[in-house]
Amino acid sequence: MAYHRHSAVPAGPTHSLHIAAEVAEVEIASGHSYQTWVYNGKFPGAEIRVKERDRLHVVLDNKLPEETTIHWHGVPVPNAMDGVPGLTQRPIKPGEQFVYDYVADPAGTYIYHSHVGHQLDRGLMGPLIIEEKQPHVQYDRDYVLLLDDFLPHAPEPITAGGGVIGARSGRTTGMVQGMSLGQGGMMSGGMMGVEMPTYAGLMINGRLPEAPVTFDIRKGERLRLRFLNSSGASAYRVAIGGHRMAITHTDGRPVKPFPVDSFYIGMGERYDVLVEANNSGAWWITAAALEENLPPARAILRYLDSPQARPTGTSSGSQMC
Ligand SMILES: [Cu+2]
């Protein structure tokens, strides 16, 4: 059934974007680059930020050696714009273009990503923020933190794995043990977790833990942090040293704010939280994988009025709530 939330409300201004899906070299830590598939040469793809009811007009240019599409994860777009190959559209062939055009509604925190095979695991993803005209919470800063598991090589199809399952990772993910692994097509988007590929690291905004991004803040501010889990197969526990959080939105939808010390975020999920900046210093924001034995993804929350530029200790130390 079609979803028309405010269909009587006229659409806002149009944002015309051009997105090239292409092969590019991206840096994920100082001096550590690798070649992968991304949008407009960037990993993650550039943030798309519009107001609710604005119109998005996106020309996707497929410069990849394979077919591709874009899925607007979580946004109730018209069916023909949903980017599911073979179901809502023909996959876009190499060298071809496709135009996605829809009204961005309702407001929320979303992900745009490829919906062909395991392309998501290469880096074809980015944040899509549809801002509320009247948010139900007040804040001074708004930051996006996209979580991803880093696959340093091309994703491999399930059926051609040749002992990938168990042999390299030592196990399969718990929820699907005993399932038939026959159909690669079931794995579209890589989000169903039939096996755990050999990820080499966990990232926030495309940076490995040794090269974290820093979010500058000032004492007394209220921060809105939007966490997006764009990982192919990693779920996380998220926490911030020295601070509690209030969850204000789950999967884009507003909820009555409730305080937490940490929260779990699964693949494809989004949590928006509010943080009161009331504890000067520099603190780790960490996202520890629930199943993989990898160093947690992390970023730095830095008070500009503090002389400290980096948190002391490790992200898994006593700072954690
Ligand atoms: Cu998705």
Side-chain angles (χ1 to χ4, degrees):
M1 203 161 60
Y3 183 97
H4 295 292
R5 184 163 163 266
H6 297 303
S7 49
V9 180
T14 298
H15 301 254
S16 293
L17 307 176
H18 182 268
I19 297 180
E22 59 192 5
V23 182
E25 193 86 17
V26 297
E27 193 192 74
I28 53 176
S30 310
H32 186 169
S33 296
Y34 80 117
Q35 198 184 63
T36 189
W37 296 9
V38 293
Y39 294 128
N40 288 347
K42 279 193 175 167
F43 175 73
E47 178 180 305
I48 300 175
R49 188 178 278 264
V50 300
K51 284 245 183 304
E52 60 182 318
R53 297 295 300 162
D54 285 0
R55 183 167 209 112
L56 267 170
H57 180 92
V58 180
V59 179
L60 172 62
D61 214 339
N62 184 7
K63 296 182 173 174
L64 300 172
E66 281 178 17
E67 296 174 336
T68 196
T69 63
I70 292 181
H71 175 63
W72 312 91
H73 184 97
V75 189
V77 297
N79 209 42
M81 299 289 107
D82 204 33
V84 183
L87 188 63
T88 66
Q89 70 168 104
R90 257 194 295 275
I92 308 153
K93 292 196 165 64
E96 288 187 350
Q97 289 191 337
F98 186 85
V99 177
Y100 294 96
D101 189 306
Y102 59 88
V103 175
D105 185 46
T109 300
Y110 303 100
I111 302 165
Y112 64 98
H113 65 80
S114 164
H115 208 305
V116 170
H118 296 261
Q119 289 181 1
L120 173 77
D121 248 343
R122 291 184 184 258
L124 290 163
M125 62 175 77
L128 166 59
I129 308 302
I130 305 178
E131 294 181 337
E132 302 102 332
K133 285 183 175 152
Q134 293 174 313
H136 75 304
V137 286
Q138 301 303 312
Y139 48 91
D140 304 297
R141 291 186 195 254
D142 179 341
Y143 288 132
V144 170
L145 296 90
L146 183 140
L147 311 178
D148 188 36
D149 38 21
F150 164 50
L151 193 66
H153 49 81
E156 293 162 26
I158 304 294
T159 46
V164 167
I165 299 158
R168 293 194 313 181
S169 64
R171 58 179 174 69
T172 56
T173 55
M175 56 183 276
V176 291
Q177 281 175 3
M179 268 178 67
S180 155
L181 304 180
Q183 298 303 313
M186 288 175 56
M187 294 295 296
S188 229
M191 287 188 171
M192 289 183 64
V194 168
E195 70 173 79
M196 189 64 90
T198 44
Y199 294 111
L202 304 172
M203 304 188 287
I204 293 178
N205 291 357
R207 303 294 284 183
L208 288 170
E210 60 264 36
V213 290
T214 296
F215 297 100
D216 288 333
I217 60 170
R218 288 183 194 282
K219 196 164 187 190
E221 288 178 335
R222 300 187 92 196
L223 321 172
R224 178 176 184 171
L225 305 181
R226 302 172 187 254
F227 290 90
L228 301 74
N229 185 358
S230 190
S231 302
S234 302
Y236 303 84
R237 172 173 170 259
V238 175
I240 306 176
H243 297 76
R244 300 195 85 197
M245 301 171 270
I247 291 179
T248 61
H249 299 72
T250 63
D251 289 338
R253 299 289 84 76
V255 297
K256 191 173 164 221
F258 60 98
V260 296
D261 292 321
S262 67
F263 62 88
Y264 295 120
I265 183 167
M267 288 81 79
E269 289 188 327
R270 291 90 61 209
Y271 284 89
D272 296 18
V273 305
L274 275 192
V275 175
E276 304 275 356
N278 56 11
N279 195 359
S280 275
W283 303 92
W284 289 120
I285 303 171
T286 57
L290 301 186
E291 293 196 56
E292 294 141 289
N293 194 16
L294 289 167
R298 60 184 187 174
I300 296 171
L301 200 60
R302 180 180 63 187
Y303 285 71
L304 290 167
D305 51 6
S306 159
Q308 209 182 328
R310 274 180 80 91
T312 50
T314 65
S315 49
S316 55
S318 55
Q319 271 194 21
M320 293 285 289
C321 307

